[in-house]
């Protein structure tokens, strides 16, 4: 049995649209009707007409699709959870707010911003305190707006994205539990990180610069600032794709982001900015067999891996996402 053909047949029969993030394995990615980065997938999902969505990515992305349009049924071939999203829960969020309070910042002077790489309950808590979501594509505009409120930004859960934004915008950042003086910072970061993007080092940048004269070095803002400050371009997944596609083919580039995306970028002169293979383990969990199995289960009336969230979480998390969409 040819799995891809069967998946195509079943999705048509069952009114299913398949969404796939750029980090998915090639064979899974090729089955996607709609592909994109986290922001694009959240937006494009609203435009597709299907009752059922099969989301190939990680849990928080599938949740975002469900939250934005609760009338859809959203299934995932694997409920794979982003390692960074797992780094903060409601208790840790509360402890972070308390750390700011202890530093003399009143709760009404805190604007929490959560990276979309967080679970729905965290997005809901952020919304209750007047905050919103951002992605790596729209983070600058969201932080700009948040700073206009005159409040201190509590940025969760990605320390690196928060620090990179502060550097880009000429603002001061500090990390809870690491830096002593958090009260004087404009952007106060939670100490979470992406285990994949932590793999890239300043030595990797030096290696490629020494080896290839005139090479361009590019990285995702989840990389540490010690790496991004050495790069020619820092951008979200879609921004990296656009930047590289517009370069002449003879221009060599080394790219610091997930392996599946980099290897698909273009045919020649493109290097992964690492001596290791920076694959996202959870994104890579999803296989063609998983897609097929979940579609068969749906056809047989025994669906599993459906995204289900309680009404209160959905209501508040939607507010956090919609505040972002209004601005981007
Ligand atoms: P994008 O928002 O660029 O799709 O990134 C999501 C992600 O998980 C990056 O590691
Ligand atoms: Fe999460 Fe990192 Fe994987 Fe992105 S690459 S989904 S941030 S673990």
């Amino acid at each position: 049995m040819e799995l891809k053909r069967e998946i195509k047949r079943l999705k048509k029969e069952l009114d299913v649209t398949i969404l796939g993030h750029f980090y998915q394995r090639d064979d899974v990615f090729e089955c996607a009707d709609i592909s994109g980065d986290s922001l694009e997938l959240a937006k494009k999902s609203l435009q597709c007409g299907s009752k059922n969505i099969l989301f190939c990515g990680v849990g928080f992305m599938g949740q975002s699709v469900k939250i934005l349009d609760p009338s859809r049924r959203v299934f995932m071939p694997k409920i794979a959870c982003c390692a960074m999203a797992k780094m903060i829960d409601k208790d840790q969020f509360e402890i972070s707010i308390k750390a700011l309070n202890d530093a003399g910042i009143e709760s009404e002077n805190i604007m929490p911003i959560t990276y979309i790489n967080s679970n729905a309950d965290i997005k809901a808590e952020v919304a209750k305190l007047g905050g919103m979501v951002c992605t790596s594509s729209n983070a600058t505009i969201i932080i700009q707006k948040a700073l206009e409120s005159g409040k201190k930004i509590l940025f969760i859960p990605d320390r690196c994205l928060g620090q990179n934004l502060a550097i880009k915008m000429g603002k001061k950042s500090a990390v809870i539990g690491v830096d002593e003086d958090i009260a004087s910072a404009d952007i106060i970061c939670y100490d979470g990180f992406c285990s994949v993007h932590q793999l890239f080092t300043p030595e990797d940048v030096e290696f490629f610069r020494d080896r290839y004269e005139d090479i361009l070095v590019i990285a995702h803002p989840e990389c540490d600032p010690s790496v991004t400050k050495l790069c020619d371009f820092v951008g979200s997944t879609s921004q990296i794709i656009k930047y590289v596609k517009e370069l002449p083919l003879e221009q060599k580039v080394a790219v610091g982001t997930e392996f599946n995306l980099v290897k698909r970028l273009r045919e020649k002169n493109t290097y992964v900015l690492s001596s290791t293979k920076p694959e996202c383990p959870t994104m890579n969990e999803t296989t063609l067999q998983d897609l097929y199995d979940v579609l068969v289960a749906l056809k047989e009336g025994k669906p599993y891996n459906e995204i289900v969230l309680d009404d209160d979480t959905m209501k508040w998390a939607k507010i956090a996402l919609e505040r972002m969409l209004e601005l981007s």
Side-chain angles (χ1 to χ4, degrees), residues 2-9 11-12 16-21 24-35 54-56 77 264 286-292 295:
E2 221 262 285
L3 276 180
K4 269 196 189 157
R5 201 182 50 229
E6 283 303 299
I7 289 167
K8 212 169 168 182
R9 187 182 63 74
K11 74 173 184 187
K12 208 167 163 195
V16 172
T17 295
I18 300 181
L19 270 62
H21 189 269
Q24 291 291 296
R25 302 150 69 114
D26 283 349
D27 52 0
V28 171
F29 188 73
E30 283 158 16
C31 289
D33 302 298
I34 298 175
S35 57
L54 184 53
F55 196 100
C56 305
R264 227 182 269 131
T286 302
T287 64
L288 268 191
Q289 186 69 46
D290 295 325
L291 261 77
Y292 174 73
L295 287 169

Side-chain angles (χ1 to χ4, degrees), residues 21 23 57-58 60-61 81-85 115 117 158 193-197 220 222 257-258 278-283:
H21 189 269
Y23 293 176
V58 284
F60 74 82
M61 297 179 180
C81 189
C82 161
M84 184 201 287
Y115 190 25
N117 295 39
D158 189 14
F193 58 89
C194 164
S195 47
V196 182
H197 288 88
H220 193 280
E222 287 175 15
T257 194
E258 210 272 344
E279 284 175 310
C280 173
T282 41
M283 285 279 187

Side-chain angles (χ1 to χ4, degrees), residues 165-196:
L165 284 163
I167 293 166
K168 183 175 172 188
M169 300 170 81
K171 298 289 173 188
K172 189 172 173 209
S173 68
V175 182
I176 299 168
V178 175
D179 295 312
E180 283 200 0
D181 173 24
I182 58 170
S184 67
D186 307 294
I187 302 175
I188 303 164
C189 308
Y190 182 79
D191 196 12
F193 58 89
C194 164
S195 47
V196 182

Side-chain angles (χ1 to χ4, degrees), residues 198-238:
Q198 291 297 295
L199 294 172
F200 305 105
T201 63
E203 290 73 30
D204 292 327
V205 180
E206 279 158 27
F207 172 85
F208 279 97
R209 292 224 190 268
D210 285 348
R211 189 155 189 148
Y212 303 107
E213 209 188 327
D214 298 333
I215 194 166
L216 291 175
V217 181
I218 297 164
H220 193 280
E222 287 175 15
C223 295
D224 192 88
S226 63
V227 173
T228 54
K229 75 172 186 209
L230 302 175
C231 289
D232 300 291
F233 179 75
V234 178
S236 70
T237 306
S238 295

